């Protein structure tokens, strides 16, 4: 039965905190800001991560691209492939198409060249991509107006073209229906089938698409392809697809190993995990900066608690004289520090969520509040209260009752 | 009730040792009203702190209500202060943020008495010291005499075996001091054991017994 209850300790702390509200608010301010910072910065980090991942996914699902030539950088989609000597053959494409649907769903060859485009009296430079009818599906790049060419167009080597959004704007007056019009590419006339959706990437928006067979006959005169885009059956098989295709092309090209390869494969998975890794590091960095401010907040609590213990020496002496054990005094001051930290933490959480909301809705920044960061920030502020309140509380409990009573 | 056998208290002051008590042997029985007198620095407060278990003797034995205090742990000392001892200080030592009623409750809080019960006891104690209508006042809204009454109510709250008062009238004018002394005498007549330190021979004489101290010794 004997002994003060934690409930009573909490009441004492709350009263003492409420007794000097401004000082208490200032004491908790550091933790408040720290917690808000953790939540906002983690939300921004995660928002950036999600945004990058979704823009990567917009390139196409489970995308692999076999490129001619030496590996260059880590980019999944290379901005300029026009000046690469194409090394990928029809046999390579046939081999990929022969792979079971458990591995590969779709594939489309592509080659590019820089050309002159002409419509009526307008003349622009653009890049032309020769490819297959699977291309829109694989690259998640579809006509917004009109329709894409079909397998029949490829078989017949039809002179048909789809315009990138920028090309359409450059050649046609606003609102003019381009479908059925004739556009000249390097002097040859092509019938316009439609306009591609805007992707926001200059490479795609400033290009035009024609059937691969037409490209080979009229533009390049080369039966090889610059690249082959592949849609794997699932993200799980992407690594396997990559290694199978590598082995098969090495065999077809009679090459001993990838060191000698005249092609390379860019894998969306690798890129995604690289980006996720970078973004994760970024988020962690932001979180640790915010974490440091939480620790600084904790030091603030410790500072004020030490002052408070000194100021309240007499109170401590009185409580001891009336039967408080050292552990009761420890508990009292520790509770006070934890209540302050929790109070700061709760206000900080509210500020953090509000701040993230503002960033998202007012500043139009991607922000994703993570429940984990909220829970972690709260838990961390409790720990900070315990840790930084610990020393002042211990000091308080070690006071000699007689000296404490004599303290002026 | 209180038995001191050859108790000494020494303080280390740098290189020198100051002896505040030099072998005090004394006993105080249950229900007694004893006053302690002596010149300043003679060790009265030191003795009271020992009796009140705020401090432990350097040498000697101290038996309080059958328990050898010099052997007690820190926690047990706190418990003894809480249940067996009631302190009244010269400067009242009320907690400034708490109301009179809450101040009286403090020892009961540390005893783990539930709130409702605590309230009830505290009210009864305030009534007993003649302040039933000041329960909600903060100490700074009370006169010196009223504060000391609250402090006495607080000392009585845990129904202690011994009431210790170190110059309880020292900070009060003579009329108010007289009233406080009346209160002590009433409490004594109701059965409390009281030990009182005072500088005023007038007040000391009215106790049942006087312990005179000089230079750390009982004379
Ligand atoms: N913490 C301490 N450290 C060193 N010396 C001390 C300490 N406390 C008391 N003393 C010394 O012990 C002696 C007795 O002090 P005490 O306070 O008991 O006297 P007192 O009789 O109560 O005096 P007063 O009538 O002035 O209150 C004094 O000489 C004092 O200086
Ligand atoms: Mg004294």
């Amino acid at each position: 039965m004997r002994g003060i209850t934690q409930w009573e300790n909490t009441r004492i702390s709350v009263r003492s905190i409420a007794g000097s509200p401004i000082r208490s608010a200032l004491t908790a301010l550091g933790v408040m800001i720290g917690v808000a910072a953790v939540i906002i910065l983690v939300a921004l980090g995660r928002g950036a991560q999600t945004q990058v991942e979704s823009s990567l996914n917009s390139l196409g699902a489970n995308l692999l691209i076999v490129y001619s030539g030496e590996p260059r950088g880590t980019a999944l989609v290379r901005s300029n492939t026009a000046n690469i000597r194409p090394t990928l053959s029809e046999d390579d494409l046939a081999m990929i198409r022969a792979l079971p649907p458990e591995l590969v769903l779709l594939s489309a060859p592509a080659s590019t060249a820089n050309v002159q485009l002409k419509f009526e009296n307008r003349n622009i430079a653009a890049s032309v991509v020769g490819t297959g009818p699977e291309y829109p599906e694989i690259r998640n790049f579809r006509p917004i107006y009109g329709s894409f060419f079909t397998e029949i167009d490829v078989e017949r080597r039809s002179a048909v073209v789809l315009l990138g959004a920028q090309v359409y704007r450059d050649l046609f007056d606003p609102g003019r229906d381009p479908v059925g019009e004739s556009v000249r590419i390097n002097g040859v006339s092509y019938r316009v089938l439609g306009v591609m959706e805007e992707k926001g990437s200059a490479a795609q928006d400033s290009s035009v698409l024609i059937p691969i067979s037409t490209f080979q006959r009229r533009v390049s005169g080369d039966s090889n392809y610059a690249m082959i885009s592949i849609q794997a059956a699932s993200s799980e098989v992407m690594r396997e697809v990559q290694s199978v295709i590598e082995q098969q092309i090495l065999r077809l090209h009679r090459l001993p190993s990838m060191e000698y390869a005249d092609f390379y494969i860019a894998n969306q998975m690798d890129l995604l995990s690289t980006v996720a890794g970078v973004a994760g590091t970024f988020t962690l960095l932001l979180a640790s900066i915010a974490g440091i401010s939480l620790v600084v907040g904790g030091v603030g609590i410790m500072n004020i608690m030490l002052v408070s213990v000194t100021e309240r020496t007499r109170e401590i002496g009185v409580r001891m004289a009336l039967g408080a054990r050292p552990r009761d005094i420890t508990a009292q001051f520790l509770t006070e520090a934890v209540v302050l930290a929790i109070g700061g933490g709760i206000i900080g959480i509210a500020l953090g969520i509000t701040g993230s909301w503002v960033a998202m809705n007012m500043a139009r920044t991607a922000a994703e509040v993570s429940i984990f960061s909220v829970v972690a920030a709260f838990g961390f502020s409790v720990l900070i209260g315990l840790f930084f309140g610990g020393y002042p509380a211990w000091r308080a409990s070690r006071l000699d009752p007689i000296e404490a009573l004599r303290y002026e | 009730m209180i038995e001191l056998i050859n108790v000494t208290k020494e303080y280390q002051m740098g290189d020198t040792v100051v002896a505040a008590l030099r072998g005090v042997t004394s006993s105080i029985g249950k229900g007694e009203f004893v006053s302690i007198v002596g010149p300043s620095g003679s060790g009265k407060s030191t003795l009271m702190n020992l009796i009140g278990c705020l401090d432990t003797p350097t040498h000697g034995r101290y038996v309080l209500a059958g328990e050898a205090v010099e052997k007690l742990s820190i926690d047990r000392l706190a418990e003894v202060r809480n249940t067996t001892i009631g302190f009244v200080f010269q400067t009242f030592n009320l907690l400034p943020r708490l109301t009179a009623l809450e101040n009286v409750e403090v020892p009961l809080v540390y005893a783990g008495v539930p709130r409702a019960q605590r309230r009830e006891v505290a009210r009864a104690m305030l009534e007993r010291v003649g302040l039933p209508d000041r329960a909600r006042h903060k100490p700074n809204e009370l006169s010196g005499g009223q504060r000391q009454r609250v402090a006495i109510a607080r000392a009585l709250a845990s129904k202690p075996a011994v009431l210790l008062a170190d110059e309880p009238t020292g900070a009060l004018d003579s009329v108010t001091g007289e009233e406080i002394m009346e209160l002590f005498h009433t409490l004594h007549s109701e059965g409390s054991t009281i030990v009182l330190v005072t500088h005023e021979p007038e007040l000391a004489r009215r106790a049942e017994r006087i312990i005179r101290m000089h230079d750390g010794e009982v004379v």
Side-chain angles (χ1 to χ4, degrees), chain A residues 1-5 7-9 11-12 15-17 19-20 312 314-329 332 400-402 405-406, chain B residues 11 49 54-55 74-76 78-79 81-83 85 87 89 91 93-95 97-99 102-103 106-107 109-115 118-119 138 154-155:
Chain A
M1 186 63 241
R2 227 200 87 81
I4 182 170
T5 58
W7 167 240
E8 286 299 336
N9 258 325
R11 278 172 46 92
I12 293 172
R15 283 197 64 145
S16 155
I17 289 165
S20 40
R312 285 152 72 188
R314 218 183 162 89
E315 172 190 334
I316 295 165
V318 172
R319 290 185 181 278
M320 284 176 158
L322 297 176
R325 296 166 294 180
R327 75 176 74 155
D328 298 330
I329 299 296
Q332 178 188 338
D400 177 60
I402 297 170
L405 278 168
R406 257 197 224 127
Chain B
Y11 292 105
N49 290 339
L54 280 170
D55 213 346
I74 288 178
D75 284 355
R76 176 69 188 142
E79 194 174 337
R81 290 197 293 271
N82 185 240
T83 56
I85 305 287
F87 266 106
F89 304 93
T91 51
N93 278 331
L94 298 176
L95 298 181
R97 290 243 178 80
L98 306 186
T99 64
E102 288 165 336
N103 264 290
V106 171
V109 168
Y110 288 107
V113 177
R115 210 156 114 88
R118 235 159 53 202
R119 282 272 130 106
K138 295 271 174 75
R154 180 178 68 183

Side-chain angles (χ1 to χ4, degrees), chain A residues 403 406, chain B residues 11 13 18 20 38-47 167 199:
Chain A
E403 312 235 312
R406 257 197 224 127
Chain B
Y11 292 105
M13 294 287 283
V18 179
S40 189
S42 57
K44 304 183 295 294
S45 294
T46 307
L47 184 61
E167 299 185 47
H199 271 298

Side-chain angles (χ1 to χ4, degrees), chain B residues 14-37:
Chain B
D15 289 341
T16 57
V17 175
V18 179
L21 296 177
R22 310 160 185 267
V24 171
T25 301
S26 189
S27 77
I28 297 167
K30 191 163 158 37
E32 261 197 287
F33 191 152
V34 175
S35 61
I36 302 176
V37 296

Side-chain angles (χ1 to χ4, degrees), chain A residues 29-81:
Chain A
L29 189 66
V31 172
M32 229 180 274
I33 291 172
V35 166
V38 168
I39 291 170
I40 293 175
L41 291 181
V42 170
L44 290 179
R46 277 175 39 112
Q49 187 173 345
T50 311
Q51 210 166 38
V52 170
E53 281 172 12
S54 78
S55 73
L56 262 181
N57 275 322
S58 80
L59 296 172
N62 306 326
L63 176 65
L64 293 113
I65 301 178
V66 189
Y67 283 105
S68 297
E70 310 270 298
R72 286 209 200 147
T74 53
L76 175 61
V77 177
R78 285 176 55 177
S79 52
N80 193 352
T81 48

